[in-house]
Amino acid sequence: MKQLVKVLSAFAIAVGLFGCIAAPIEMTPQTQQGLRTQAPIRFLLTFDDGPSASGFYNPTVTVLDSLARNPLQPDIKAVFFVQTRDSRAGGSEAGRQIMRREHAEGHLLGFHTATRRHTNHRSLDPEALEQSLTDGSADIAAITGALPTLVRPPFWNYDKRTFAAYQQHGMHVLLTDLSANDGKIWGFNASPRRRANLLRQLSEVRERIALGELPTVDGVIPVVVTFHDLNRYTARHTREYLQILLDSASATGLVTAQKAFYDDTAALQQAAMARTVRDSSEAVELPGIWNWLWGADTH
């Protein structure tokens, strides 16, 4: 099981990085009509796998700097799904210091893993999963003063058992609408065709918005976007990614709110909670081939 999960996950990332990306879905009169009754969108940025413990050009620090200072909107807030026990991430003093900075700057810390390495929770036995959740909750609470309320399962993969364990710890699963496909595979550190990828995915999300499938929270529709702050390519291009998101919204016919990104911590928390999965059997939509990869096997 563990080896199969690793192979499938590597294959999914490889396809996302190098595979063919379809053209954006064309706007139909029906979609255009549906959008007229929908609220504007706001991008809810999330980052997985960090924080980086690197002492050389730390990518998480670069991401934080870019969110705080960029030409589009200052002081953007994001959700960072952290690895709290990996020595290359939050299991180091350098990583914990960055998590303290994330919290101090108004970002949210969500739980990703508290194992020694990035591990699919479904591969853990009940005792190991419970230990990971207990450790991770305590690690985050030691920094924020509160237990985490958001969890992103590694590889977005969960089943009824792991979902129930999250619930017992007061954690709610937040998946994603858009993926930058910037996950690392065998040291590869880039995101080819990033504009075409996000444009295609956002056109798919637009169809769901037109059908009224995404909730409106405080007058806007939160659209969840996933990056990886361990990726130095992502770190170097964070400001460019922000512009690509705005360009893609315009190109697909979506209207963005006056503030296209969240810059208020409370509003970010409220929006994130509204987009969480309520039940393990709930049908979910993941970008790319992830639905095909996990759909029949899990929830």
Side-chain angles (χ1 to χ4, degrees):
M1 173 64 181
K2 292 183 179 179
Q3 188 61 33
L4 177 61
V5 167
K6 290 180 180 178
V7 171
L8 289 175
S9 301
F11 172 73
I13 296 171
V15 170
L17 286 171
F18 299 108
C20 295
I21 298 174
I25 299 173
E26 292 188 12
M27 175 86 81
T28 66
Q30 293 83 0
T31 296
Q32 193 170 30
Q33 179 63 32
L35 291 177
R36 292 195 182 104
T37 62
Q38 300 299 320
I41 69 168
R42 178 172 290 154
F43 292 109
L44 195 166
L45 304 183
T46 68
F47 293 85
D48 289 1
D49 295 353
S52 171
S54 175
F56 172 72
Y57 182 70
N58 187 290
T60 303
V61 169
T62 302
V63 167
L64 289 171
D65 290 344
S66 296
L67 295 178
R69 296 178 296 279
N70 63 81
L72 299 177
Q73 184 179 327
D75 297 322
I76 295 172
K77 311 304 181 191
V79 183
F80 287 85
F81 289 100
V82 295
Q83 301 188 76
T84 68
R85 294 289 171 109
D86 190 324
S87 61
R88 301 166 298 180
S92 65
E93 181 52 39
R96 287 187 289 272
Q97 183 62 37
I98 291 175
M99 287 193 288
R100 286 190 281 269
R101 173 182 170 179
E102 290 169 346
H103 173 64
E105 294 185 358
H107 302 289
L108 296 178
L109 296 185
F111 177 71
H112 200 44
T113 69
T115 49
R116 298 300 178 185
R117 292 292 181 265
H118 191 267
T119 304
N120 190 316
H121 292 165
R122 294 182 66 216
S123 69
L124 300 175
D125 62 39
E127 292 76 17
L129 177 60
E130 175 63 24
Q131 189 65 57
S132 178
L133 293 169
T134 299
D135 290 343
S137 294
D139 294 338
I140 291 173
I143 291 172
T144 67
L147 297 173
T149 58
L150 297 170
V151 56
R152 173 164 291 156
F155 313 108
W156 298 306
N157 189 219
Y158 61 91
D159 58 15
K160 293 183 183 301
R161 176 181 70 93
T162 58
F163 193 91
Y166 302 149
Q167 288 185 313
Q168 290 174 358
H169 282 264
M171 297 185 194
H172 304 265
V173 173
L174 181 65
L175 298 177
T176 197
D177 299 310
L178 308 177
S179 171
N181 286 348
D182 62 341
K184 295 168 68 176
I185 176 170
W186 296 316
F188 188 78
N189 202 344
S191 183
R193 305 191 66 194
R194 56 192 181 277
R195 186 175 291 270
N197 167 54
L198 289 172
L199 185 61
R200 168 66 189 192
Q201 290 183 31
L202 193 55
S203 74
E204 294 171 347
V205 173
R206 179 201 62 204
E207 299 301 300
R208 296 173 59 203
I209 291 174
L211 293 172
E213 295 180 358
L214 271 61
T216 299
V217 183
D218 196 23
V220 299
I221 298 173
V223 173
V224 184
V225 190
T226 295
F227 299 97
H228 293 76
D229 55 298
L230 291 187
N231 192 323
R232 285 187 168 83
Y233 180 91
T234 295
R236 291 195 303 272
H237 294 85
T238 299
R239 293 180 176 88
E240 182 181 355
Y241 270 120
L242 298 178
Q243 185 63 59
I244 288 173
L245 289 171
L246 294 183
D247 293 345
S248 297
S250 177
T252 54
L254 286 167
V255 176
T256 57
Q258 183 176 4
K259 290 186 175 181
F261 305 93
Y262 283 90
D263 60 5
D264 178 83
T265 306
L268 176 66
Q269 173 75 33
Q270 182 183 13
M273 289 297 294
R275 295 301 317 277
T276 56
V277 180
R278 302 302 180 185
D279 185 87
S280 61
S281 61
E282 179 181 328
V284 298
E285 292 287 339
L286 288 169
I289 69 168
W290 290 100
N291 275 330
W292 170 83
L293 184 63
W294 302 131
D297 188 37
T298 58
H299 27 285

